[in-house]
Amino acid sequence: MELRLYDTLSREKRTFVPLDPKNVRMYVCGPTVYDFAHIGNARPVIVFDVLFRLLRHLYGEAHVKYVRNITDVDDKINDRAARDFPGLPLNEAIRKVTEQTGEQFHADVDALGCLRPSVEPRATEHIGEMRVIIERLVKGGFAYVAEDHVLFSPQAMNAANSTLPRYGALSKRSLDEMIAGARVDVAPYKRDATDFVLWKPSKPGEPSWPSPAGIKAEGRPGWHVECSAMAWKHLGEHFDIHGGGIDLVFPHHENEVAQTCCAFHRERMANYWMHNGFLQVESEKMSKSLGNFITIHELLADWPGEVLRLNMLKTHYRSPIDWTMKSLEESAKTLDDWYRVAADVAPGEPAASVVEPLIDDLNTPLAIAAMHGLRGGDVGALAGSLRLLGFLSESAAQWEGRKQQASGVDPKEVEGLIAERTAARSRKDFKESDRIRDLLAAMGVAIKDSKDGTTWEFSR
Ligand code: AMP
Ligand code: ZN
């Protein structure tokens, strides 16, 4: 069985051949930690968790290294810190914001059933590597210093007579068109409109570090160089897979490739570039002004994390996803059923009918359809398949118990009402038995009568 992945650079599905099968290496751009993550941010986290699990299944747990960074230096973090902790020195306030937000992020993605990556580097702990990359770029003639900034020149990159990739290759944009379409109000220190920042001066009070390239004033890195530095430190100059949301292809990933390839004279940074599609809510773009902006944290108050996870994986990762209440309700029903039939059985090997679509560019909707097919047959294989995809972290009793807790209904009270209803039915008082059934329904309890008596469950 061979794994095939869609590569954004070559625009095709290709057989995955790792550089070293004993050390399969993947980098995914992580969160900027300034606020609760929204459900769109959960998409790359879940999608690449599935890929991480699949790679571990195929190559062995000890042979896969997954790096997802934490961006802890950013204007949005500074603004938030100044707003929330006006009494504190800015650097201390920033530490509070990044620590709190980082913890919230971990709690959220743990609840979504995502494994922690092998390494979660923080940008502020890799300033040294950033400086090295920037120095190399300046020495190589790909970057220059102007007014205490260091700027990368895509035009210098494309003028170089070498095996470097062309700037624009990943996002399929032509540099000439970018130049022609450039805005007029370009920062005065830039030689060309397409140049981007590698390093910039810090404002007074802002986090700052000694600058590279002979700049006297202290400064801070640009966003793109952070990922080049962290990927280099933890995965090397050239590695297997680089991922993130589709919005990151340009400029972020285009710039990462430019920095890494020019600094290390490489033809490639990653062999496979993978991007998830965007998430929208009830057919609308998610935004604060539309009032449909939902955090993972808020959703977790109403739904178990695995329901959110299943709901995400019902759509192929490259397609846009429409996040709806209706679909969430269906996902919850499906998981209730799977927990009942598969959570307490000994898991077997994941079924071939599930693994085959997964290795075909992570076709999770087909894998889920195959699991529905296993439900009435090989439940051991269903259990193994569900676990491979990061489900069934609880026993059936825990799952049911959590639902009861969430509903706030006392099972003893339910049993009592059912006994009253049975008594009413046996004296043919159907008005009373219907009243009790409606009452139970209003409590979120569904009942089922059979010749062996009445059973019940929470219907949510
Ligand atoms: P950000 O915090 O905006 O840098 O985003 C962190 C990650 O979430 C990136 O990989 C983004 O591409 C991804 N992302 C942000 N918004 C969405 C969305 N609505 N749907 C899918 N992915 C998203
Ligand atoms: Zn990145």
Side-chain angles (χ1 to χ4, degrees), residues 27-30 69 223-224 226-228 242-243 248 252-253 256:
Y27 185 94
V28 174
C29 296
N69 72 291
W223 171 38
H224 314 303
E226 295 175 12
C227 283
S228 283
H242 193 315
L248 298 187
H252 185 52
H253 289 165
E256 278 189 45

Side-chain angles (χ1 to χ4, degrees), residues 29-32 38 40-41 43-44 244-248 276-279 286:
C29 296
T32 303
H38 59 68
N41 299 136
R43 193 168 192 198
I246 190 80
D247 58 321
L248 298 187
N276 63 270
F278 248 47
L279 174 149
M286 186 168 43

Side-chain angles (χ1 to χ4, degrees), residues 418 421-422 425 437 447-455:
I418 288 177
R421 176 172 169 271
T422 308
R425 272 158 59 102
R437 193 199 48 216
I447 52 178
K448 211 189 252 165
D449 296 313
S450 75
K451 60 180 183 337
D452 303 322
T454 302
T455 55

Side-chain angles (χ1 to χ4, degrees), residues 232-346:
W232 171 43
K233 170 74 188 276
H234 298 282
L235 298 176
E237 297 172 7
H238 180 205
F239 51 92
D240 296 299
I241 300 169
H242 193 315
I246 190 80
D247 58 321
L248 298 187
V249 175
F250 189 87
H252 185 52
H253 289 165
E254 192 72 61
N255 292 354
E256 278 189 45
V257 176
Q259 294 158 165
T260 297
C261 291
C262 292
F264 302 114
H265 308 289
R266 288 276 183 182
E267 245 173 283
R268 294 170 158 272
M269 177 182 189
N271 278 351
Y272 301 82
W273 286 86
M274 294 179 66
H275 295 97
N276 63 270
F278 248 47
L279 174 149
Q280 53 177 21
V281 173
E282 307 282 355
S283 305
E284 277 185 328
K285 185 178 182 310
M286 186 168 43
S287 81
K288 289 213 161 116
S289 58
L290 287 173
N292 63 356
F293 185 93
I294 353 172
T295 64
I296 305 171
H297 186 74
E298 286 164 337
L299 282 164
L300 284 171
D302 295 333
W303 308 91
E306 287 187 21
V307 169
L308 308 182
R309 183 179 180 92
L310 177 63
N311 204 50
M312 199 71 89
L313 296 177
K314 286 199 299 198
T315 305
H316 187 260
Y317 77 94
R318 282 194 280 121
S319 304
I321 182 170
D322 192 20
W323 190 265
T324 64
M325 193 53 85
K326 183 165 171 283
S327 169
L328 271 170
E329 280 160 5
E330 284 164 9
S331 302
K333 280 211 184 79
T334 302
L335 268 171
D336 284 346
D337 180 55
W338 282 342
Y339 260 93
R340 254 191 313 270
V341 300
D344 295 345
V345 305

